[in-house]
Amino acid sequence: MLRAGFDSLLTLVMFLIFTGFAVAALVFAAMAREDAYRAAEKQTKKFWLIVLGINLALNLLYPMLFLQIAGVIAAIVFMVDVRPALRQVSGGGGGRRGGGSSSDGPYGPYNGGR
């Protein structure tokens, strides 16, 4: 009895994690500009929206482990390879929002009064 409860809890946790990751990847893919995909020399925005949308639909409609694993692999490829390339060509490659250095003021870099 305890084993069945653990298995169903583990299945629920995996479902939530995989589905959440699929939603995040789909949202990031939808937010990026179409020309950024071309500039980064990646597949088109339409391609990634279809792949990640099918991933999310399969996670929601048929929560079977092998389909979830295939889908999470697609989402991982997007998040690890495509998303950083899109951010770099879109000008969002830095760690800070807004870019620039830590000594930049509201009107440009601070140069110590020179």
Side-chain angles (χ1 to χ4, degrees):
M1 185 62 125
L2 185 62
R3 173 93 172 143
F6 177 76
D7 287 348
S8 61
L9 178 64
L10 183 63
T11 302
L12 175 64
V13 168
M14 286 177 39
F15 170 77
L16 292 175
I17 290 172
F18 288 173
T19 304
F21 197 63
V23 168
L26 185 61
V27 167
F28 285 128
M31 288 174 41
R33 296 186 338 243
E34 173 66 40
D35 61 330
Y37 287 86
R38 287 190 305 270
E41 297 179 355
K42 301 297 179 185
Q43 292 288 336
T44 64
K45 180 176 185 173
K46 185 176 184 179
F47 170 84
W48 281 108
L49 289 176
I50 289 170
V51 168
L52 296 170
I54 289 172
N55 169 27
L56 181 59
L58 288 176
N59 270 342
L60 294 174
L61 298 175
Y62 304 105
M64 292 182 268
L65 186 60
F66 70 94
L67 290 176
Q68 289 177 330
I69 290 173
V72 83
I73 289 171
I76 287 171
V77 167
F78 178 82
M79 295 294 269
V80 172
D81 181 43
V82 179
R83 184 171 176 242
L86 294 175
R87 289 183 67 202
Q88 189 161 8
V89 299
S90 297
R96 290 175 15 110
R97 293 224 170 224
S101 76
S102 61
S103 64
D104 282 357
Y107 305 107
Y110 177 73
N111 61 9
R114 292 183 252 159

